C-alpha cells in the first residue's frame, strides 16, 4: 500500500465529514503566525550573540529591527543600551506571542480533530443504519461496535501529531534561516534529514502492516465479547465459562501482541532519529571547525553558534514530523476499514423512491416474486399472492418455507426484484421507506426492547406525544394494565437488555401494546411458537383481537384460532405457495393444509 493511497483515503474521509475549508483557516493562520514569530526572534539571535561576545552593540545594527527602524529613527540617535534593550524585549515579547499563537493553533486544531471524529462516527453510524438486513446478517455487532469506535482512536493519534503543521512551517522557516547563515552547512544538515526520512520509510511501512493486522484481531475480539455477553444463558447452561475464558484470552493476547508489535516499531523511531542526528551534528561541527580555520575567520563564530542552535531545533521539529508519520501509520488500518464502509455505492444499500405512501386502498400484491439470500438460492419462488385491504392473511407452512422472508420483504428489510411487490398497483420501491414503515407495525416473536423503562419502550418511535389517558387505555387493551399496576415503579420500571426482566408473555403483550399505539394500518404478526400457559395465551389472544380490528393483517400463524379466523390461509413450502383459500375449504381439499392440521391436531386439541 502506497503512502499516497493513505493520503487519498484520508482526504476522502475529510470530504465525507463535510469539514469546510474555513475550519482549517484558523489553525493554519495561527500556525503560520507562530512560525513567523519564531523565525523573527531566531533571526535576531546571531546579531545579539555577536554583540554580547564582542561587547559591541553596533553588531545589532545589522538586525532587521534596526534596518526597518532606520528610516524613522536614525540609528545614530538610538543609544547602545536602548538597542540592546529593544532587541532583548523583541525576543522576549516575540516568544510570548509565539506561544500564544501556538496554543491557539493547537486548540483550534484539537477542535478540528474532535469535530472530524464526531462527524466520522456519525457518518459510519448513519451509513450502517441505511443498509439493508443483508449487511446486518453478514456483519457481527462486535465488529460494528469496533468500527464506530475507530474515529476515537484516529482522533487520539491525530491529537498526538497535531503540532505537525506548526513543525512543518517551523522547519521551512528554520531551513531558510540556516541557508541565510551558511548554505554549505545547510546542505550537509539537509543530507542528514533526508537520511532520517528515508531510513524511517521501511519502519513506517511495517507499522501500517501491523495496524491492519491489529484491526482484524480487534474486530475478532469485539465479535467475541458481543457473542459471549449476548448468549450468557447458553454459556452458563452448557458450563462453557472455562472454554470461553480460554478463547477470549487467546483473542485478547492476539490483540495485545499486535499492539505491542506496533509499539516496538513506533518506539524505535526516536532512537533511529537520535543516532542519525548525532552523526550529522558531528559532521556539521567538523565542517564548522574547517570553515573557521580555513578562511571564514572567528567573526562568524556567533553565527555558527546560532546555526547550531537552529539546527538542533530543526532536528526536533523533524523528529516530531517523523513521529507524526508513525502515528499516521498506526491509524492506517482503521482509516482503511472506515473508507471501505463509507466509500462508493454499497451492495447493501436499499433502493427507495420518493413517493409518500399514504396507505392501502385496495390490495398488496406479491407478483411472481423470487428471492434468494447470498449462498441460499430460491428461498421464494414465483410467489403470487393478493392481500386485500382490511383482511387477515395467515401464512402457514413448515419451518424454513420462507414465511418470515416474505414478511421481511414487505417490511423492506431486503430488496426484491422490481415490480414483484405492488401496493395498489405501484411498485413498493417507488415509495420512501420511511413513509412505508410508518403505515406498518410489526409484532414479532423476537421482541426487541431497549434497556429503558416500560414507558420509553412503549412510546419508542412515536412522533407525537401520547396523552396519559391513551397509554392507560392501550395498557388495558393489551392486557398489561394489571401487570403494570403490580410493579413498584409502574411504567417507569426498567426492562433490562432486550427486556430480560420480563416474561415471554409480558414481552409479547408489550410488543402488541406498542403496535396498538402506532395504529398502523398494515399489521405484520409473527406469532410466538413457544407454548404459553392458558391464562397468558388467552390474554395475548384478547390483546391481538384488539390490535387487528379493521387492519390489513399478514400473520405467520402458529395458533389454530388465528388460522380459523383468517380471511385467507396461504400454505408455503420450499418457497412456493402450494395452497391458498379459506380454512374450511382447504380442509375439504384434503391437501397440504389438511395434512399439516392432522399432524398438529393432537397439540391443538390439548390447548
Ligand atoms: P420458521 O417457521 O422456522 O421461522 P420460515 O418459513 O419463516 O421458517 P424463513 O426464515 O423465511 O423460513 O427461511 C427460509 C429459508 O431461508 C431457510 O432455508 C433459511 O435457512 C433461509 N434464511 C433465512 N434467513 C436467512 C439469511 N439471513 N441468510 C441466508 N439464509 C437465510
Amino acid at each position: 500500500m502506497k503512502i499516497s493511497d493513505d493520503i487519498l483515503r484520508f482526504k476522502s474521509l475529510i470530504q465525507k465529514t463535510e469539514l469546510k475549508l474555513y475550519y482549517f483557516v484558523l489553525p493554519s493562520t495561527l500556525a503560520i503566525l507562530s512560525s513567523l514569530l519564531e523565525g523573527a526572534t531566531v533571526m535576531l539571535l546571531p546579531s545579539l550573540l555577536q554583540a554580547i561576545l564582542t561587547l559591541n552593540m553596533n553588531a545589532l545594527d545589522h538586525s532587521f529591527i534596526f534596518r526597518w527602524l532606520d528610516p524613522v529613527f536614525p540609528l545614530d540617535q538610538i543609544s547602545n543600551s536602548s538597542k540592546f534593550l529593544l532587541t532583548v524585549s523583541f525576543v522576549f515579547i516575540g516568544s510570548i506571542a509565539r506561544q500564544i499563537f501556538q496554543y491557539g493553533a493547537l486548540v483550534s486544531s484539537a477542535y478540528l480533530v474532535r469535530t472530524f471524529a464526531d462527524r466520522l462516527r456519525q457518518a459510519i453510524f448513519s451509513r450502517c443504519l441505511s443498509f439493508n438486513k443483508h449487511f446486518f446478517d453478514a456483519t457481527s455487532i462486535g465488529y460494528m461496535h469496533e468500527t464506530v469506535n475507530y474515529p476515537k482512536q484516529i482522533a487520539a493519534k491525530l491529537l498526538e501529531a497535531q503540532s505537525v503543521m506548526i513543525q512543518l512551517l517551523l522547519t521551512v522557516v528554520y531551513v531558510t534561516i540556516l541557508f541565510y547563515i551558511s548554505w554549505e552547512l545547510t546542505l550537509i544538515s539537509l543530507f542528514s534529514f533526508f537520511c532520517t526520512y528515508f531510513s524511517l520509510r521501511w519502519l513506517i511501512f511495517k507499522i501500517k502492516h501491523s495496524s491492519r493486522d491489529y484491526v482484524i484481531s480487534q474486530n475478532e475480539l469485539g465479535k467475541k465479547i458481543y457473542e459471549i455477553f449476548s448468549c450468557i444463558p447458553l454459556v452458563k447452561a452448557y458450563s462453557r465459562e472455562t472454554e470461553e475464558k480460554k478463547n477470549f484470552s487467546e483473542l485478547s493476547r492476539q490483540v495485545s501482541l499486535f499492539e505491542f508489535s506496533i509499539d516496538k516499531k513506533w518506539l524505535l523511531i526516536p532512537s533511529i532519529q537520535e543516532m542519525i542526528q548525532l552523526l550529522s551534528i558531528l559532521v556539521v561541527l567538523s565542517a564548522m571547525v574547517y570553515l573557521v580555520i580555513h578562511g571564514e575567520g572567528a567573526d562568524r563564530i556567533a553565527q555558527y553558534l546560532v546555526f547550531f542552535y537552529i539546527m538542533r531545533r530543526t532536528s526536533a521539529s523533524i523528529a516530531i514530523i517523523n513521529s507524526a508519520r508513525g502515528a499516521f501509520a498506526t491509524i492506517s488500518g482503521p482509516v482503511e476499514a472506515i473508507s471501505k464502509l463509507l466509500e462508493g455505492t454499497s451492495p447493501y444499500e436499499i433502493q427507495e423512491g420518493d413517493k409518500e405512501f399514504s396507505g392501502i386502498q385496495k390490495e398488496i400484491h406479491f407478483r411472481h416474486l423470487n428471492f434468494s439470500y447470498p449462498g441460499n438460492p430460491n428461498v421464494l419462488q414465483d410467489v403470487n399472492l393478493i392481500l386485500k385491504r382490511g383482511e387477515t392473511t395467515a401464512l402457514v407452512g413448515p419451518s424454513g418455507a420462507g414465511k418470515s422472508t416474505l414478511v421481511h420483504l414487505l417490511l423492506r428489510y431486503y430488496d426484491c426484484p422490481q415490480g414483484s411487490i405492488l401496493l395498489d398497483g405501484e411498485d413498493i420501491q417507488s415509495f420512501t421507506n420511511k413513509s412505508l414503515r410508518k403505515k406498518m407495525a410489526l409484532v414479532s416473536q423476537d421482541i426487541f426492547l431497549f434497556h429503558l423503562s416500560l414507558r420509553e419502550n412503549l412510546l419508542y418511535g412515536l412522533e407525537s406525544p401520547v396523552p396519559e389517558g391513551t397509554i392507560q387505555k392501550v395498557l388495558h387493551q393489551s392486557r398489561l394494565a394489571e401487570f403494570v399496576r403490580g410493579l413498584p415503579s409502574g411504567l417507569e420500571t426498567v426492562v433490562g437488555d432486550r427486556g430480560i426482566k420480563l416474561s415471554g408473555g409480558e414481552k409479547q403483550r408489550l410488543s402488541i401494546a406498542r403496535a396498538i399505539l402506532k395504529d398502523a394500518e398494515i399489521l405484520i404478526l409473527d406469532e410466538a411458537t413457544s407454548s404459553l400457559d392458558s391464562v397468558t395465551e388467552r390474554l395475548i389472544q384478547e390483546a391481538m383481537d384488539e390490535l387487528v380490528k379493521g387492519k390489513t393483517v399478514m400473520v405467520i400463524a402458529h395458533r389454530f384460532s388465528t388460522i380459523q379466523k383468517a380471511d385467507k390461509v396461504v400454505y408455503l413450502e420450499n418457497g412456493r405457495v402450494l395452497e391458498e383459500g379459506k380454512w374450511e375449504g382447504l380442509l375439504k381439499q384434503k391437501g397440504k393444509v389438511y395434512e399439516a392440521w392432522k399432524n398438529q391436531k393432537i397439540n391443538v386439541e390439548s390447548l
Side-chain angles (χ1 to χ4, degrees):
M1 192 176 51
K2 287 186 288 185
I3 294 177
S4 55
D5 289 342
D6 279 341
I7 294 172
L8 284 179
R9 260 190 214 117
F10 208 74
K11 201 174 142 209
S12 126
L13 287 190
I14 291 175
Q15 280 165 353
K16 281 264 170 319
T17 53
E18 292 177 3
L19 286 173
K20 298 275 179 287
L21 199 62
Y22 58 76
Y23 273 90
F24 298 87
V25 170
L26 185 63
S28 317
T29 313
L30 291 173
I32 291 170
L33 287 174
S34 154
S35 314
L36 288 178
L37 271 174
E38 165 76 356
T41 48
V42 166
M43 284 280 281
L44 290 175
L45 292 182
S47 18
L48 193 61
L49 209 60
Q50 185 85 21
I52 293 168
L53 286 177
T54 57
L55 291 176
N56 179 3
M57 293 305 139
N58 289 335
L60 295 173
D61 295 352
H62 305 295
S63 74
F64 68 90
I65 303 185
F66 297 108
R67 266 187 273 140
W68 286 348
L69 278 179
D70 195 29
V72 195
F73 297 107
L75 282 180
D76 44 16
Q77 289 176 20
I78 305 175
S79 70
N80 278 348
S81 53
S82 302
K83 280 182 198 167
F84 182 75
L85 269 177
L86 209 63
T87 311
V88 170
S89 308
F90 188 92
V91 171
F92 181 67
I93 294 168
S95 301
I96 291 177
R98 191 222 146 183
Q99 290 305 328
I100 293 170
F101 284 136
Q102 178 167 322
Y103 176 71
L106 290 178
V107 169
S108 50
S109 70
Y111 178 75
L112 179 67
V113 168
R114 295 295 180 200
T115 311
F116 171 67
D118 166 42
R119 295 206 184 165
L120 201 55
R121 206 167 22 235
Q122 292 187 37
I124 296 169
F125 189 71
S126 59
R127 176 79 160 169
C128 288
L129 276 192
S130 76
F131 286 154
N132 62 24
K133 206 164 160 293
H134 284 306
F135 173 77
F136 297 94
D137 294 345
T139 315
S140 122
I141 295 181
Y143 163 81
M144 274 185 271
H145 184 262
E146 289 306 322
T147 312
V148 172
N149 271 330
Y150 283 149
K152 193 173 158 201
Q153 292 179 27
I154 294 175
K157 284 293 168 191
L158 288 181
L159 284 178
E160 253 176 51
Q162 67 169 332
S163 68
V164 72
M165 189 164 64
I166 297 179
Q167 301 306 334
L168 269 172
L169 291 167
L170 280 179
T171 306
V172 173
V173 171
Y174 287 148
V175 172
T176 313
I177 301 173
L178 287 179
F179 263 112
Y180 177 75
I181 297 175
S182 164
W183 65 267
E184 302 97 322
L185 294 178
T186 310
L187 285 182
I188 296 173
S189 328
L190 280 184
F191 180 70
S192 82
F193 298 149
F194 284 119
C195 285
T196 324
Y197 180 87
F198 286 108
S199 62
L200 289 179
R201 275 188 73 159
W202 66 269
L203 200 58
I204 282 170
F205 177 78
K206 292 268 173 206
I207 293 176
K208 276 189 196 166
H209 214 272
S210 305
S211 169
R212 262 173 281 147
D213 291 339
Y214 159 76
V215 163
I216 295 169
S217 66
Q218 181 65 38
N219 284 341
E220 286 302 313
L221 185 69
K223 227 162 87 178
K224 191 78 202 162
I225 295 172
Y226 177 77
E227 264 169 24
I228 298 307
F229 289 140
S230 58
C231 297
I232 272 295
L234 189 68
V235 176
K236 297 251 173 235
Y238 285 81
S239 303
R240 298 283 301 171
E241 288 94 334
T242 314
E243 288 75 7
E244 291 303 351
K245 264 192 256 174
K246 197 165 153 257
N247 292 340
F248 181 84
S249 29
E250 270 167 26
L251 287 173
S252 171
R253 179 99 194 105
Q254 194 78 47
V255 170
S256 297
L257 285 177
F258 282 125
E259 281 173 335
F260 179 59
S261 160
I262 294 175
D263 293 340
K264 267 188 318 196
K265 292 159 195 150
W266 159 260
L267 293 171
L268 198 56
I269 294 177
S271 306
I272 294 182
Q273 299 204 115
E274 200 59 40
M275 281 184 311
I276 297 177
Q277 277 169 16
L278 184 67
L279 205 68
S280 75
I281 286 170
L282 292 177
V283 173
V284 168
L285 277 179
S286 313
M288 278 181 188
V289 172
Y290 177 86
L291 286 174
V292 169
I293 294 171
H294 295 87
E296 291 277 359
D299 54 334
R300 293 213 63 187
I301 287 180
Q303 288 193 340
Y304 285 164
L305 285 177
V306 175
F307 183 98
F308 190 69
Y309 166 76
I310 300 174
M311 191 187 141
R312 284 302 287 161
R313 296 196 74 150
T314 316
S315 303
S317 290
I318 289 177
I320 295 172
I321 294 167
N322 283 326
S323 293
R325 283 169 66 206
F328 283 125
T330 63
I331 54 172
S332 159
V335 166
E336 193 179 345
I338 295 175
S339 296
K340 274 190 193 151
L341 188 83
L342 295 184
E343 287 307 313
T345 50
S346 161
Y348 299 121
E349 270 165 27
I350 305 184
Q351 304 303 315
E352 63 175 325
D354 48 14
K355 283 192 192 157
E356 287 294 302
F357 177 63
S358 57
I360 291 283
Q361 299 307 317
K362 215 171 134 217
E363 62 189 26
I364 300 170
H365 188 175
F366 293 91
R367 192 177 64 174
H368 301 298
L369 170 63
N370 294 299
F371 184 75
S372 301
Y373 288 108
N376 197 350
N378 305 326
V379 169
L380 292 176
Q381 301 177 58
D382 198 28
V383 170
N384 286 291
L385 196 61
I386 291 180
L387 277 66
K388 289 246 176 288
R389 180 175 192 257
E391 286 191 358
T392 296
T393 305
L395 294 178
V396 295
S399 179
K403 303 182 292 292
S404 305
T405 305
L406 198 62
V407 301
H408 287 167
L409 290 176
L410 186 58
L411 281 162
R412 304 284 288 129
Y413 287 175
Y414 303 102
D415 254 334
C416 55
Q418 239 183 358
S420 50
I421 302 182
L422 306 170
L423 307 174
D424 289 332
E426 288 250 33
D427 189 350
I428 198 166
Q429 291 184 13
S430 61
F431 298 105
T432 64
N433 287 332
K434 193 164 183 195
S435 67
L436 275 171
R437 291 185 186 137
K438 220 170 149 181
K439 297 285 175 191
M440 296 184 192
L442 167 73
V443 179
S444 146
Q445 53 176 306
D446 294 328
I447 292 161
F448 299 101
L449 294 170
F450 293 104
H451 191 126
L452 295 171
S453 69
L454 277 170
R455 183 190 295 281
E456 285 162 304
N457 273 294
L458 197 60
L459 301 181
Y460 180 74
L462 297 179
E463 280 171 5
S464 40
V466 182
E468 194 57 33
T470 312
I471 297 179
Q472 294 307 326
K473 189 171 160 219
V474 169
L475 288 179
H476 183 72
Q477 287 173 316
S478 57
R479 307 300 185 261
L480 269 176
E482 207 173 312
F483 162 69
V484 173
R485 255 198 309 275
L487 296 169
S489 310
L491 272 177
E492 313 317 320
T493 308
V494 174
V495 301
D497 267 334
R498 289 180 66 111
I500 197 90
K501 296 182 188 168
L502 301 180
S503 75
E506 287 153 5
K507 276 195 263 188
Q508 279 179 32
R509 278 177 284 155
L510 186 59
S511 166
I512 293 170
R514 201 148 63 177
I516 296 178
L517 266 176
K518 190 173 180 189
D519 196 25
E521 64 174 72
I522 301 170
L523 276 178
I524 296 168
L525 311 175
D526 186 358
E527 282 185 346
T529 44
S530 52
S531 51
L532 300 161
D533 66 83
S534 53
V535 177
T536 312
E537 181 72 41
R538 183 179 48 77
L539 289 176
I540 289 175
Q541 193 53 56
E542 285 171 6
M544 280 283 194
D545 290 344
E546 294 279 356
L547 173 65
V548 300
K549 274 180 200 159
K551 307 277 196 289
T552 307
V553 184
M554 191 172 181
V555 50
I556 299 177
H558 295 288
R559 283 195 202 92
F560 184 53
S561 55
T562 314
I563 300 170
Q564 266 188 323
K565 273 191 237 165
D567 297 290
K568 188 198 277 184
V569 177
V570 175
Y571 183 86
L572 270 174
E573 194 176 291
N574 293 328
R576 288 183 188 279
V577 175
L578 297 189
E579 287 175 21
E580 183 184 344
K582 284 258 178 214
W583 167 245
E584 297 80 13
L586 291 175
L587 278 192
K588 279 187 201 134
Q589 264 183 36
K590 300 226 163 163
K592 290 279 184 185
V593 169
Y594 175 76
E595 281 298 318
W597 175 70
K598 227 173 56 173
N599 290 339
Q600 264 197 0
K601 207 170 160 215
I602 299 173
N603 289 338
V604 170
E605 278 173 356
S606 68
L607 285 174

